Amino acid sequence: MKTAEKEIVTLKRSLLVDTEKKLNKQIEMEGRSSAYYLSMASWCEMMGFSNSAKFLYDHADEERQHMLKLFKYINDAGGHAIQPEITGIRHNFNSLREIFELILEHEIEVTKSINTIVDHCFMVKDFATFSFMQWYVTEQREEETVARRALELFDIIGEEGIGLWTIDQELGKLHASIEE
Ligand SMILES: [Fe+2]
Ligand SMILES: [Fe+2]
């Protein structure tokens, strides 16, 4: 490894090429989350689950903000943030419960990806990116908790009769509680 490749901070940049690649992959993941939740929001709206739809439209916006935060970080550090190609987003779902199961699974994957980046930053002693990524670590903990609370509603309330309607109302309240 040449000195220029080893040094994190140079006159041109304060980001290793390898770290930049990993952060761009994370941009792709946040962009994919945003598209995925937008698609879920639309399905919920079409099915008449208006509170869940609002929850997911807002969640899609948040994921886009997570993506933009990475754009800014990479470019400020002298790298180049890349607008990702996002294809293959699912449009149809079998049930409201399935949507919240998929969200939890997806968020767990995102957490793993973030942990991999944090681990890498620690290994290469890039403490600036390590510190920047802590925001995502905390955010993931919160998002997983919300996804688990949402899923629990299906078991507590049950989906028969007015169950699904009640779950949608409760999802609206859960959403309002995290907005505060
Ligand atoms: Fe995110
Ligand atoms: Fe997320």
Side-chain angles (χ1 to χ4, degrees), residues 7-67:
E7 292 294 328
I8 292 169
V9 178
T10 66
L11 288 178
K12 272 194 173 163
R13 54 189 293 148
S14 58
L15 202 57
L16 291 172
V17 172
D18 194 22
T19 310
E20 179 182 349
K21 270 190 204 147
K22 287 180 164 59
L23 293 177
N24 266 314
K25 261 182 77 189
Q26 192 59 36
I27 280 187
E28 205 267 345
M29 203 158 199
E30 301 292 345
R32 180 164 292 280
S33 303
S34 183
Y36 199 21
Y37 298 158
L38 182 58
S39 185
M40 289 171 172
S42 178
W43 185 89
C44 286
E45 194 166 47
M46 172 192 74
M47 296 298 284
F49 299 122
S50 54
N51 293 291
S52 305
K54 167 100 176 64
F55 190 143
L56 292 165
Y57 277 122
D58 287 352
H59 203 162
D61 276 347
E62 278 172 27
E63 297 296 354
R64 183 175 157 76
Q65 292 308 316
H66 298 172
M67 180 179 83

Side-chain angles (χ1 to χ4, degrees), residues 30 33 37 59 62-63 66 103 106-107 110 139-140 143-144:
E30 301 292 345
S33 303
Y37 298 158
H59 203 162
E62 278 172 27
E63 297 296 354
H66 298 172
I103 292 173
H106 184 71
E107 290 299 337
V110 175
E139 178 66 18
Q140 279 314 113
E143 287 204 17
E144 278 190 33

Side-chain angles (χ1 to χ4, degrees), residues 75-93:
N75 290 338
D76 281 352
H80 185 187
I82 304 296
Q83 160 65 41
E85 293 285 336
I86 295 165
T87 53
I89 295 295
R90 197 170 151 184
H91 303 294
N92 285 298
F93 303 91

